[in-house]
Amino acid sequence: KQIGELKDYNLVYIMIDSLRADHLGCYGYKRNTSPFIDTIAASGLQFDQAYSNSSYTRESVSVLFSGRLPSSGGNYGWLCTGPRKGTQTIGTLFKQAGYQTAIISNSIQMKPVGFHAGIDHFECLSSKWGVSRTGPELSRRAAKFMKKNRDKRFFLYLHFLDPHGPYDPPPPLLKQRFNKQSIPNPLGIYKHVRKQCSDLVASGFGPGESRFEDMVLKYDTEIAHTDIAIKQIFNQLKALNLTGKTLVIINSDHGEEFLEHGYVEHAWTLYRESLHVPLIFWAPDKIPAGRILSRVSTVDLLPTILSLMDIKSPDKRFDGEALFSKKQSTYRFIPPKKPYIGELIIQHRGILRTVIKGQWKYIAAQRWLSPETRPTVLGGFMRYRKNPENLKNIWGPIEFEQLFDLAADPKEQTNLVKRNRKKAFQLKGILRLYEAYAKQFGENKGPQPLPSLSEKDKQRLKSLGYL
């Protein structure tokens, strides 16, 4: 279907932290978590196979803001401060195009100044980590900004913390929406589960067990609470008569694990449950309702937004691709040509990369922690601010690798790396080329000498779309 040009439209970008795509009704979930988002998806363009390029917020949002992958853009690590200074970002590009720009968040993850380049108005509703139930107040602040700037063009980035832990939804909503009865001795994700996960699993904690189902239901109720808050934003757009000149994008920075691979939360692995995220484009007058089945990723979104909204970029070197090709004044979807690459670079947790090409997925880790050992490195930001992680070498030898056939094994349970060495070697070669690209053409120069690419490697990089 053809999409109309969105020149001079507003952009409201709604980021919902830790939201798995498969916990929304529009992505097939049976529980009633997202009735309003489902209606938006039905009247918008839904991407069924959208993937974040990291399972950690600051890395994944840096990818969105810069259009660069973590290693390539130099935006990685637990203490990642956002896109590197001097990098063109979604904020600087919209500001240069004459937009009023704002970030409103209830997550302290968005406080680092690297995210604020080009931003006129910044609000963070919380000074503490893990504060739930503030979504409606965020929507109220967003409505105030939209009302103030209704006669101007604006870019508004909204970052909802829920359903991120601690999974603490309003009790009345939990009971009303899901008829939930309290259970004795419920488990908290931070206080109990993340610290004692392996022991709990050994004692029967898992799908079907009451304490596990209680935990997941609280996560789902936080989705439902955020769904209500998002409805407030659309109500304000309608009240201000802005629905006909605003593009709304609904997305998540990463997913969430619920024991699919032996642990919980996120920022530990690069499996599907951590990376598969919702992605919905909504602009009824310009974007026909529909669904995109092809795989896309967060790194594609900045070049796509700039193309659809006719915003010029001085530096056209992005790691992602514009997802729509322009012909005269309309656009058509074109699947990305580059293989998908995901990264997680947190020294005290793990250094992992993954590549997906066709039906095959390969994961390589320079540092890998098993689910049993992960509780030993748990700690807050202050602990690692006082003792910064050593990230001088983010490559190094591979100590853990996996290969999955996604067509036969979409849940990534059977490691085929020993059975199909040839395919693993091919995908490992793509990561090797990406390493050379990141070192030579990326923002991260690191302590290592830049490699001199052979003509063969240059041609292979060109064939992959990186040169």
Side-chain angles (χ1 to χ4, degrees), residues 182-322:
S182 61
I183 66 167
N185 304 315
L187 298 177
I189 186 68
Y190 292 154
K191 186 177 181 180
H192 305 107
V193 181
R194 55 155 40 179
K195 296 178 181 179
Q196 307 162 28
C197 190
S198 296
D199 291 341
L200 286 168
V201 170
S203 69
F205 180 75
E209 194 264 355
S210 61
R211 295 172 301 170
F212 177 87
E213 296 300 337
D214 175 74
M215 179 186 70
V216 176
L217 190 57
K218 288 174 179 174
Y219 169 85
D220 284 346
T221 308
E222 287 206 345
I223 297 174
H225 195 229
T226 301
D227 184 71
I228 293 169
I230 289 171
K231 184 176 182 179
Q232 294 177 231
I233 295 167
F234 281 81
N235 287 344
Q236 180 72 330
L237 284 171
K238 185 177 180 180
L240 296 173
N241 198 29
L242 293 176
T243 55
K245 54 180 179 180
T246 301
L247 167 63
V248 181
I249 298 176
I250 298 176
N251 188 208
S252 176
D253 52 350
H254 51 73
E256 191 82 334
E257 297 186 48
F258 289 115
L259 298 182
E260 291 86 357
H261 289 88
Y263 206 61
V264 291
E265 297 186 276
H266 55 270
W268 295 102
T269 71
L270 294 174
Y271 297 120
R272 177 184 174 89
E273 58 268 19
S274 289
L275 297 174
H276 183 212
V277 293
L279 179 61
I280 300 163
F281 280 39
W282 185 88
D285 293 341
K286 295 287 186 176
I287 300 180
R291 299 177 79 162
I292 299 291
L293 303 182
S294 300
R295 186 183 299 115
V296 303
S297 67
T298 303
V299 77
D300 299 318
L301 296 182
L302 181 55
T304 298
I305 290 165
L306 298 178
S307 174
L308 287 175
M309 301 185 73
D310 194 27
I311 294 175
K312 306 305 178 186
S313 168
D315 182 359
K316 295 180 170 57
R317 184 162 52 94
F318 296 110
D319 292 337
E321 305 166 69

Side-chain angles (χ1 to χ4, degrees), residues 2 7 14 18 42 109 121 141 168 184 219 262 299 303 395 400 448 453 455:
Q2 292 183 337
K7 183 178 175 61
I14 299 173
S18 309
Q109 292 277 31
H121 177 82
R141 303 282 185 97
D168 182 28
Y219 169 85
V299 77
W395 303 97
F400 177 84
Q448 308 172 55
L453 294 180
E455 285 302 316

Side-chain angles (χ1 to χ4, degrees), residues 92-137:
T92 59
L93 292 166
F94 271 85
K95 184 62 181 173
Q96 291 165 10
Y99 283 70
Q100 295 297 305
T101 58
I103 294 174
I104 305 176
S105 171
N106 53 13
S107 169
I108 60 173
Q109 292 277 31
M110 293 304 298
K111 281 190 172 182
V113 295
F115 294 110
H116 304 173
I119 299 300
D120 299 310
H121 177 82
F122 172 77
E123 288 185 73
C124 185
L125 277 60
S126 178
S127 60
K128 297 180 180 180
W129 182 245
V131 178
S132 295
R133 312 183 195 179
T134 58
E137 175 60 18

